[in-house]
Amino acid sequence: MRLTTLVLGLASLASGYTILDAENFDTHVQSGLWLVKYYSPTCPWSRRFAPVWESVYRHLEVDLLASNVRLGEVDCKANQMLCVNASIDGYPTVVFYKQGVNQGEVPGGQSYTNLADYAIAL
């Protein structure tokens, strides 16, 4: 299991997209710029938002990597303490991190246009 996680983690670093959990969150988010989606797999709003989030990443992947902006996601059902520590009170929520410091929720973070504009401006 750990080998699989390590391999997936290395692949995600290369791609600029990471599935974050209690074991890897601090290590990844402590450096660079991160947009992190907090979600619940049982939340209908989270499921509705998933294609928007994926589109932002797919369409901006090259630009984001060039700007050292990474995207990640946290499953709050599986990683409740990460979500509590980030003061997540609803799903989905996108938070901006700079050098590991929570800079706050992305304004209008559930809209493709708002997310894309915010990410490009970083």
Side-chain angles (χ1 to χ4, degrees), residues 19-51:
I19 305 299
L20 299 164
D21 60 28
E23 289 185 24
N24 69 10
F25 185 88
D26 290 334
T27 302
H28 287 303
V29 177
Q30 73 181 346
S31 62
L33 307 174
W34 283 79
L35 293 175
V36 177
K37 173 183 79 167
Y38 290 89
Y39 74 100
S40 170
T42 60
C43 168
W45 298 106
S46 291
R47 289 194 301 269
R48 187 176 302 168
F49 177 64

Side-chain angles (χ1 to χ4, degrees), residues 43-103:
C43 168
W45 298 106
S46 291
R47 289 194 301 269
R48 187 176 302 168
F49 177 64
V52 173
W53 181 250
E54 291 167 14
S55 290
V56 168
Y57 179 70
R58 267 195 329 273
H59 295 144
L60 301 177
E61 180 179 11
V62 172
D63 294 329
L64 294 175
L65 283 172
S67 300
N68 197 31
V69 176
R70 303 289 186 255
L71 269 63
E73 64 180 51
V74 174
D75 175 346
C76 289
K77 290 205 55 112
N79 300 281
Q80 291 178 356
M81 285 312 297
L82 285 177
C83 301
V84 168
N85 292 341
S87 300
I88 303 303
D89 59 5
Y91 308 117
T93 299
V94 178
V95 175
F96 171 51
Y97 287 86
K98 182 177 182 181
Q99 307 301 338
V101 178
N102 182 332
Q103 303 293 313

